[in-house]
Amino acid sequence: MASTGGAEVLVASNRGPVSYEVRSDDAGGGALHAKRGGGGLVSGLSAIGPDANAVWVCAALSDGDREAVRRAEGGRLPVTDTGGQQVRMLDIDAGVFSDAYNGIANSVLWFVHHMLYQTPLEPVFDAEFRRQWGAYEAYNRAFAEALAKEAAEGAAVVIQDYHLALAPRMLRRLRPDLRIGHFSHTPWAPPDYFRLLPDDIAAELLGGILGADHAAFLTRRWADAFVDCCHAVLGPGIPAADPSSGGTRIGVHGLGADADFLRKRSHEPDVEERMRALREEIGEGRKTIVRVDRTELSKNIVRGLLAYRQLLDDHPEWRERVVHVAFAYPSRQDLAVYRDYTAEVQRVADDINSVYGTAGWTPVVLHVKDDFARSLAAYRLADVALVNPIRDGMNLVAKEIPVVSDEGCVLVLSREAGAFEELGEDAVVVNPYDIGGTADALARALALPEGERAERCKRLAAAATALPPAAWFLEQLGALGG
Ligand code: F6P
């Protein structure tokens, strides 16, 4: 089933490097507008260069994407839209896609790995769950079949994330000649929590990933949790302790920040302009506590705001002298629980401003419209960076802020973020559930002497850039013998 002249390197992920929007043109028709995304995979893939004979397989996520697939010649998107990358976007039936993505990936697997359920009432694994699980299998099969068709004999395939946990085994069955890797960008749940899942589903997920030659994670903690789940669900010998016996090898590759890109991009004119605007919102001579997140339930933005309120109560000397700059950008708005959470973030921020604010001081500056240049501006201005997720695969914001910060910032970091493994020593560490503890940490961070703050920040930046995206991607390929 290998295609002649097929790709030597393949990447598979739900979200691809480009998205499309249909905009009506003057003639009343629909013009397609392409928007390129960023992130670790996009810059990682650039490491192998345009001549590497690589293909990225991803899903169409919107009507605009579907239209782009229909217009694509030979199934490949125009390279002018993708930054030179060969991209095959899969037009999976919209209902199947929604059940797989919203129903299973985001409402079950994300919740399990981030331990987000309110367990007295959820999860409920009923007939509707089983129906959606069928869609998740079909979605994974569509990827496995596309990869099998696109890959040259013996090619390396790196499959990304919880959306595609079943694809490695499916692909292995179709193409035993391929070298297959799977990479998890989320945490992995400990066995007691993972076993909330019905036994057959738990076994299918683990077995799906074990179809890969190499299963990789962002930290040792998540890799160990995966192995513990395999032992608890599949049996003590799985995966085989001795990789030479042909089992799946387990790897850890801690994706780092892209220092060169960030330092250059954060000094461009649009960032400078946003710094001026932010300075005005913040006010002269005030310190800043900065956070930048997609509004995920796991990011713990509401408790961050409550801790800031506690700081203003416990340390009234900081009133008028500090501003919490919180950027909470939209995410997964198809899910009601995300929409509700977003509204709660706004409500708590408004409440703090109305209780504590004065004529010349807005205690919380909240922005909810995604703006990368403004995020970089806030990174540069940060005195304190607040990164307090309930649980997080890595959290790249924790790594990016110290790299970009102008004056050196103090990182207040949750011990449940993957980044804690590499940055914990030089951060002020918090239990993300402890509001009082987080308020104390913010107070300590604000008061840290300048010299110590600069020294810590330098060490944080060095640790944060130890494995930049290009090297991270090459490690994944290297682990497949490529
Ligand atoms: O941030 C963790 C992560 O799993 C990324 O690897 C992935 O791109 C993202 O979450 C998925 O988010 P979305 O649902 O917006 O595509």
Side-chain angles (χ1 to χ4, degrees):
M1 210 169 156
S3 68
T4 9
E8 299 291 342
V9 175
L10 297 96
V11 175
S13 66
N14 176 60
R15 192 176 288 278
V18 62
S19 60
Y20 291 88
E21 213 185 300
V22 188
R23 292 184 184 165
S24 51
D25 56 27
D26 295 343
L32 271 182
H33 178 80
K35 191 172 166 226
R36 282 174 62 194
L41 265 184
V42 172
S43 37
L45 211 72
S46 66
I48 57 173
D51 303 327
N53 189 13
V55 173
W56 189 331
V57 178
C58 60
L61 308 181
S62 65
D63 291 344
D65 286 359
R66 287 175 205 291
E67 185 53 35
V69 176
R70 271 175 224 126
R71 294 185 197 179
E73 274 174 42
R76 299 279 172 92
L77 299 177
V79 287
T80 43
D81 293 349
T82 64
Q85 183 61 58
Q86 294 290 336
V87 177
R88 166 126 187 245
M89 199 178 248
L90 305 179
D91 184 0
I92 297 167
D93 172 82
V96 170
F97 174 78
S98 174
D99 286 337
Y101 175 68
N102 289 316
I104 299 297
N106 289 341
S107 299
V108 176
L109 302 181
W110 184 270
F111 272 59
V112 167
H113 289 314
H114 292 85
M115 309 203 309
L116 294 173
Y117 285 119
Q118 306 202 14
T119 50
L121 292 175
E122 52 177 26
V124 174
F125 295 120
D126 55 3
E128 174 60 7
F129 164 77
R130 291 283 165 180
R131 191 190 64 72
Q132 292 185 333
W133 182 257
Y136 183 75
E137 289 174 321
Y139 162 97
N140 272 261
R141 201 169 306 115
F143 269 83
E145 283 168 1
L147 291 165
K149 204 161 148 222
E150 292 279 348
E153 181 76 22
V157 186
V158 284
I159 298 174
Q160 309 292 312
D161 239 346
Y162 57 102
H163 314 91
L164 292 170
L166 307 182
R169 182 159 71 180
M170 289 173 170
L171 180 58
R172 162 83 54 232
R173 284 177 179 157
L174 292 171
R175 291 286 305 273
D177 60 298
L178 298 178
R179 292 168 293 140
I180 303 173
H182 185 274
F183 196 94
S184 291
H185 292 253
T186 59
W188 195 274
D192 283 354
Y193 205 88
F194 189 72
R195 297 186 81 187
L196 292 178
L197 290 165
D199 291 351
D200 60 319
I201 301 290
E204 233 192 289
L205 284 165
L206 296 167
I209 290 177
L210 291 174
D213 300 293
H214 185 250
F217 299 85
L218 285 164
T219 69
R220 173 56 51 199
R221 182 180 177 193
W222 313 140
D224 288 348
F226 174 78
V227 172
D228 290 346
C229 285
C230 289
H231 292 168
V233 174
L234 302 175
I238 303 171
D242 173 11
S244 64
S245 66
T248 304
R249 294 180 310 278
I250 304 295
V252 175
H253 310 291
L255 175 62
D258 190 345
D260 295 341
F261 164 75
L262 286 169
R263 290 197 177 117
K264 186 162 172 288
R265 180 69 186 85
S266 63
H267 285 83
E268 285 177 9
D270 58 343
V271 176
E272 306 278 356
E273 184 195 311
R274 281 161 180 79
M275 283 175 80
R276 280 191 290 278
L278 269 177
R279 278 202 190 96
E280 241 168 68
E281 281 187 276
I282 292 161
E284 203 47 41
R286 291 189 175 122
K287 294 233 178 197
T288 55
I289 298 173
V290 168
R291 76 172 308 138
V292 177
D293 298 284
R294 299 199 309 164
T295 313
E296 304 288 352
L297 312 178
S298 48
K299 298 295 183 187
N300 208 22
I301 304 169
V302 171
R303 284 197 194 83
L305 287 163
L306 295 178
Y308 176 65
R309 178 206 286 255
Q310 181 88 49
L311 168 82
L312 299 178
D313 280 341
D314 294 350
H315 297 271
E317 71 277 13
W318 278 112
R319 293 188 195 180
E320 306 259 4
R321 291 177 51 223
V322 65
V323 170
H324 185 14
V325 177
F327 296 167
Y329 298 145
S331 176
R332 303 182 189 159
Q333 291 293 296
D334 286 345
L335 299 180
V337 66
Y338 275 71
R339 294 196 296 274
D340 294 349
Y341 186 73
T342 304
E344 183 63 4
V345 168
Q346 183 78 60
R347 194 193 64 72
V348 177
D350 289 348
D351 191 45
I352 294 172
N353 284 338
S354 74
V355 172
Y356 299 86
T358 62
W361 174 54
T362 306
V364 182
V365 169
L366 175 70
H367 285 291
V368 296
K369 192 169 174 296
D370 199 342
D371 181 343
F372 184 55
R374 195 184 45 212
S375 301
L376 292 175
Y379 285 8
R380 285 185 56 187
L381 292 174
D383 292 297
V384 174
L386 175 57
V387 179
N388 66 327
I390 291 171
R391 231 169 127 79
D392 214 331
M394 175 57 76
N395 198 298
L396 275 183
V397 173
K399 291 190 161 180
E400 289 169 353
I401 298 188
V403 172
V404 169
S405 152
D406 276 356
E407 307 286 336
C409 71
V410 185
L411 176 64
V412 173
L413 180 63
S414 164
R415 64 191 187 195
E416 304 304 324
F420 168 74
E421 224 162 80
E422 292 159 277
L423 307 183
E425 225 164 275
D426 284 300
V428 178
V429 176
V430 294
N431 166 354
Y433 298 94
D434 182 354
I435 305 290
T438 306
D440 284 348
L442 290 173
R444 266 185 288 136
L446 284 167
L448 209 71
E450 258 178 42
E452 188 181 345
R453 161 176 148 162
E455 281 306 311
R456 280 190 188 217
C457 189
K458 220 188 285 168
R459 288 195 296 267
L460 286 170
T465 52
L467 190 64
W472 167 80
F473 185 75
L474 291 177
E475 273 198 9
Q476 282 186 66
L477 284 185
L480 294 176

Short mmCIF file of all heavy atoms in Angstrom, two decimals, residues 96 99-100 104 128-141:
data_model
loop_
_atom_site.label_atom_id
_atom_site.label_comp_id
_atom_site.label_asym_id
_atom_site.label_seq_id
_atom_site.Cartn_x
_atom_site.Cartn_y
_atom_site.Cartn_z
N VAL A 96 -19.15 13.43 12.32
CA VAL A 96 -18.15 12.51 12.89
C VAL A 96 -17.04 13.33 13.56
O VAL A 96 -16.63 13.05 14.69
CB VAL A 96 -17.55 11.60 11.79
CG1 VAL A 96 -16.35 10.82 12.30
CG2 VAL A 96 -18.62 10.66 11.24
N ASP A 99 -18.27 14.82 16.91
CA ASP A 99 -18.36 13.82 17.98
C ASP A 99 -16.97 13.40 18.48
O ASP A 99 -16.76 13.22 19.68
CB ASP A 99 -19.12 12.58 17.50
CG ASP A 99 -20.62 12.85 17.38
OD1 ASP A 99 -21.11 13.78 18.07
OD2 ASP A 99 -21.29 12.17 16.60
N ALA A 100 -16.04 13.26 17.53
CA ALA A 100 -14.68 12.84 17.92
C ALA A 100 -13.96 13.96 18.67
O ALA A 100 -13.34 13.72 19.71
CB ALA A 100 -13.88 12.43 16.68
N ILE A 104 -15.45 13.36 22.36
CA ILE A 104 -14.48 12.45 23.02
C ILE A 104 -13.18 13.18 23.38
O ILE A 104 -12.79 13.24 24.55
CB ILE A 104 -14.18 11.21 22.14
CG1 ILE A 104 -15.48 10.42 21.88
CG2 ILE A 104 -13.11 10.34 22.78
CD1 ILE A 104 -16.13 9.82 23.10
N GLU A 128 -24.85 7.22 24.60
CA GLU A 128 -24.40 8.38 23.83
C GLU A 128 -22.87 8.43 23.77
O GLU A 128 -22.28 8.71 22.72
CB GLU A 128 -24.97 9.66 24.48
CG GLU A 128 -24.48 10.96 23.90
CD GLU A 128 -24.79 11.16 22.41
OE1 GLU A 128 -25.51 10.34 21.81
OE2 GLU A 128 -24.26 12.14 21.84
N PHE A 129 -22.24 8.10 24.90
CA PHE A 129 -20.77 8.05 24.89
C PHE A 129 -20.29 7.00 23.89
O PHE A 129 -19.35 7.23 23.12
CB PHE A 129 -20.24 7.72 26.30
CG PHE A 129 -18.80 7.26 26.30
CD1 PHE A 129 -17.77 8.18 26.15
CD2 PHE A 129 -18.49 5.91 26.40
CE1 PHE A 129 -16.44 7.76 26.11
CE2 PHE A 129 -17.18 5.48 26.36
CZ PHE A 129 -16.15 6.41 26.22
N ARG A 130 -20.94 5.84 23.90
CA ARG A 130 -20.52 4.75 22.99
C ARG A 130 -20.66 5.18 21.53
O ARG A 130 -19.85 4.86 20.68
CB ARG A 130 -21.34 3.49 23.24
CG ARG A 130 -21.04 2.82 24.58
CD ARG A 130 -19.73 2.04 24.52
NE ARG A 130 -19.26 1.70 25.86
CZ ARG A 130 -18.13 1.01 26.09
NH1 ARG A 130 -17.37 0.59 25.10
NH2 ARG A 130 -17.75 0.76 27.31
N ARG A 131 -21.75 5.92 21.25
CA ARG A 131 -21.98 6.40 19.88
C ARG A 131 -20.83 7.36 19.48
O ARG A 131 -20.24 7.24 18.41
CB ARG A 131 -23.33 7.13 19.81
CG ARG A 131 -23.80 7.45 18.40
CD ARG A 131 -25.01 8.38 18.39
NE ARG A 131 -24.73 9.69 18.95
CZ ARG A 131 -24.00 10.64 18.38
NH1 ARG A 131 -23.45 10.41 17.20
NH2 ARG A 131 -23.78 11.80 18.97
N GLN A 132 -20.47 8.26 20.40
CA GLN A 132 -19.39 9.20 20.09
C GLN A 132 -18.05 8.48 19.98
O GLN A 132 -17.19 8.86 19.19
CB GLN A 132 -19.32 10.29 21.18
CG GLN A 132 -20.53 11.20 21.14
CD GLN A 132 -20.43 12.35 22.13
OE1 GLN A 132 -19.75 12.23 23.15
NE2 GLN A 132 -21.11 13.44 21.84
N TRP A 133 -17.88 7.45 20.78
CA TRP A 133 -16.63 6.68 20.70
C TRP A 133 -16.47 6.06 19.30
O TRP A 133 -15.37 6.01 18.74
CB TRP A 133 -16.60 5.60 21.78
CG TRP A 133 -15.30 4.84 21.75
CD1 TRP A 133 -15.08 3.59 21.23
CD2 TRP A 133 -14.03 5.32 22.21
NE1 TRP A 133 -13.75 3.25 21.35
CE2 TRP A 133 -13.09 4.29 21.95
CE3 TRP A 133 -13.61 6.49 22.81
CZ2 TRP A 133 -11.74 4.42 22.26
CZ3 TRP A 133 -12.26 6.63 23.12
CH2 TRP A 133 -11.34 5.59 22.85
N GLY A 134 -17.59 5.63 18.71
CA GLY A 134 -17.56 5.10 17.34
C GLY A 134 -17.03 6.17 16.37
O GLY A 134 -16.26 5.87 15.45
N ALA A 135 -17.42 7.42 16.60
CA ALA A 135 -16.95 8.52 15.75
C ALA A 135 -15.44 8.74 15.96
O ALA A 135 -14.70 8.99 15.01
CB ALA A 135 -17.71 9.80 16.06
N TYR A 136 -15.00 8.63 17.22
CA TYR A 136 -13.57 8.80 17.51
C TYR A 136 -12.74 7.72 16.79
O TYR A 136 -11.68 7.99 16.23
CB TYR A 136 -13.36 8.73 19.03
CG TYR A 136 -11.93 8.95 19.49
CD1 TYR A 136 -11.36 10.21 19.50
CD2 TYR A 136 -11.16 7.87 19.93
CE1 TYR A 136 -10.05 10.41 19.93
CE2 TYR A 136 -9.86 8.04 20.37
CZ TYR A 136 -9.30 9.32 20.36
OH TYR A 136 -8.00 9.50 20.79
N GLU A 137 -13.29 6.49 16.77
CA GLU A 137 -12.58 5.43 16.04
C GLU A 137 -12.54 5.73 14.54
O GLU A 137 -11.50 5.58 13.90
CB GLU A 137 -13.29 4.08 16.28
CG GLU A 137 -13.11 3.56 17.69
CD GLU A 137 -13.94 2.30 17.97
OE1 GLU A 137 -15.10 2.23 17.49
OE2 GLU A 137 -13.44 1.41 18.66
N ALA A 138 -13.68 6.20 14.00
CA ALA A 138 -13.74 6.49 12.56
C ALA A 138 -12.78 7.62 12.20
O ALA A 138 -12.10 7.57 11.16
CB ALA A 138 -15.17 6.86 12.16
N TYR A 139 -12.71 8.63 13.05
CA TYR A 139 -11.81 9.78 12.83
C TYR A 139 -10.36 9.29 12.83
O TYR A 139 -9.56 9.64 11.96
CB TYR A 139 -12.09 10.80 13.93
CG TYR A 139 -11.06 11.86 14.19
CD1 TYR A 139 -11.18 13.13 13.62
CD2 TYR A 139 -9.99 11.61 15.04
CE1 TYR A 139 -10.23 14.11 13.88
CE2 TYR A 139 -9.04 12.59 15.31
CZ TYR A 139 -9.17 13.84 14.73
OH TYR A 139 -8.23 14.79 15.00
N ASN A 140 -9.99 8.46 13.82
CA ASN A 140 -8.63 7.92 13.87
C ASN A 140 -8.33 7.05 12.64
O ASN A 140 -7.23 7.09 12.10
CB ASN A 140 -8.41 7.11 15.15
CG ASN A 140 -7.95 7.97 16.32
OD1 ASN A 140 -6.77 8.04 16.63
ND2 ASN A 140 -8.90 8.67 16.94
N ARG A 141 -9.35 6.29 12.20
CA ARG A 141 -9.16 5.43 11.02
C ARG A 141 -8.89 6.28 9.78
O ARG A 141 -8.05 5.95 8.95
CB ARG A 141 -10.39 4.55 10.82
CG ARG A 141 -10.10 3.31 9.99
CD ARG A 141 -11.25 2.31 10.01
NE ARG A 141 -11.66 1.93 11.35
CZ ARG A 141 -12.85 2.18 11.90
NH1 ARG A 141 -13.77 2.85 11.21
NH2 ARG A 141 -13.13 1.78 13.13
#
